[in-house]
Amino acid sequence: MPYFDAASSAPLHPVARQALQASLDEGWADPARLYREGRRARLLLDAAREAAADAVGCRPDELVFTSSGTRALHTGISGALAGRRRIGGHLVVSAVEHSAVLHAAEGRPVSEVPVDRWGAVSPRVFGEALREDTALACLQSANHEVGTEQPVAEVAELCRTAGVPLLVDAAQSLGWGPVAGDWSLLTASAHKWGGPAGVGLLVVRKGVRFASQDPADERESGRAPGFENIPAIVAAAASLRAVRDSAGTEARRLRELVDRIRTRVPELVPDVEVVGDPVRRLPHLVTFSCLYVDGETVLHELDRAGFSVSSGSSCTSSTLTPSHVLRAMGVLSEGNVRVSLPVGTAAADVDRFLEVLPGVVAGVRRHLGAPTAEEPSPGSGSLVVDALGKRCPIPVIELAKVIGDVPVGGTVTVLADDEAARLDIPAWCEMRDQEYVGESPAPGGTAYVVRRRG
């Protein structure tokens, strides 16, 4: 069964498995002790730290191991803010950061930097968000949902000039190469590159003001309290070195497969929007959204066909709100599918996915009663569609069914209380060359007005 969700968690790399098994016999003792078993554990820990630091491009004493990437982010953000509390407490983040960053920013003075339709920030706009009381800026190296790479080096230079440390979330990109630029802090997560879960990295450059907010602890420079999981740490470092050794060749191979998906899906499936930067992106990740389908059903049907993929559609979450990343980009969220290929993915599996996908999407559209074509039959100059209480993608399907019933210049008003409609109706208008007039409050929800162009 092809697994196409490496962006969530990559399969355990064979080198990680070997290192984990070997170090279970050697790395169980307390590395802080001076007896033989402790010294042996310390050697393993130090060697893993040196290997990870070499991959990151930092000094070994700048890197600590944490219990997860999320823990590394929370520790890095809280510690950097506390270290610069005399400057102020203002935080600058991009609108598409991982939820772990956005949650850590809650309750603090924060500026969210918008992104363009590809999902990238403008260095100029990011720089303008920096203030005299800005204590920390955060920017991911590449987005976890759409794969777009961020201009980290340019932003880092602006932050350096402003005297603001930049924390880079490198969880998605570190397995492919080091992060360029003069950043100040960096985090990553081992299970994203094929290491074991439960190991994160936190790098704090020398000279960066940092005050850990955890209770005092002598381990990991006081920044990651608790007994180190040395076997998992050794496996994480060994697998990082292994994936880096083949990163150049594998990135070229997977990029060709992803390019095949980016090109073929819009040809095979009508009404599809491929999102994310087509060039400046991770080599293994592609995301697309399909009109008139819900993401949860598409994922279930693909799973039945033997493919494991992910989605950012609101229909796949308990919150019934679209992905904050897709919302910030202003792109279609309904029927969203994220394909992220793990190392070693076979071309034949990608070809079979492309054979299966059109039938899956067509079947879901038939089940939901989606329109197959817009046949003009001009009638009233305006229509109202009541989609209150209906979830994605039903409001958009109902709009598509009736747009041909109004004359050119006529309007359709969609009443909806689904948060995804605020994103998907304007996106539908752009895809179908219709005019999105705007929205206004309505009893029980929101009224979205669309004017027919042709």
Side-chain angles (χ1 to χ4, degrees), residues 258-291:
V258 165
D259 284 341
R260 189 180 307 175
I261 297 173
R262 292 184 67 93
T263 301
R264 293 291 290 151
V265 166
E267 295 173 350
L268 296 169
V269 182
D271 299 316
V272 165
E273 181 179 18
V274 180
V275 300
D277 197 299
V279 177
R280 191 168 178 171
R281 58 175 172 80
L282 293 171
H284 69 303
L285 195 155
V286 57
T287 300
F288 54 90
S289 297
C290 309
L291 275 175

Side-chain angles (χ1 to χ4, degrees), residues 404-421:
D405 293 340
V406 299
V408 173
T411 61
V412 175
T413 300
V414 181
L415 304 178
D417 55 0
D418 181 10
E419 181 65 25

Side-chain angles (χ1 to χ4, degrees), residues 157-330:
E157 181 62 30
L158 292 171
C159 289
R160 181 68 62 181
T161 301
V164 175
L166 175 67
L167 183 152
V168 176
D169 173 7
Q172 292 294 337
S173 73
L174 192 60
W176 299 107
V179 177
D182 195 11
W183 45 265
S184 301
L185 302 95
L186 180 142
T187 65
S189 185
H191 73 104
K192 301 295 187 181
W193 65 68
V199 179
L201 305 180
L202 170 61
V203 179
V204 182
R205 294 285 200 189
K206 292 297 181 182
V208 175
R209 294 180 180 273
F210 191 91
S212 176
Q213 296 305 285
D214 288 314
D217 193 285
E218 70 275 10
R219 298 181 188 276
E220 294 300 298
S221 303
R223 292 172 183 168
F227 197 93
E228 299 95 340
N229 185 348
I230 293 177
I233 288 171
V234 170
S239 57
L240 179 56
R241 174 177 289 177
V243 297
R244 280 292 192 83
D245 287 344
S246 61
T249 301
E250 189 65 5
R252 287 190 294 272
R253 194 183 71 84
L254 292 182
R255 185 175 289 273
E256 290 178 358
L257 296 179
V258 165
D259 284 341
R260 189 180 307 175
I261 297 173
R262 292 184 67 93
T263 301
R264 293 291 290 151
V265 166
E267 295 173 350
L268 296 169
V269 182
D271 299 316
V272 165
E273 181 179 18
V274 180
V275 300
D277 197 299
V279 177
R280 191 168 178 171
R281 58 175 172 80
L282 293 171
H284 69 303
L285 195 155
V286 57
T287 300
F288 54 90
S289 297
C290 309
L291 275 175
Y292 314 135
V293 300
D294 68 276
E296 183 176 12
T297 303
V298 170
L299 263 57
H300 283 317
E301 292 302 312
L302 286 172
D303 183 51
R304 290 177 59 188
F307 293 94
S308 301
V309 299
S310 183
S311 173
S313 294
S314 61
C315 318
T316 64
S317 69
S318 59
T319 61
L320 293 177
T321 58
S323 148
H324 72 279
V325 172
L326 302 178
R327 185 171 63 245
M329 294 168 63

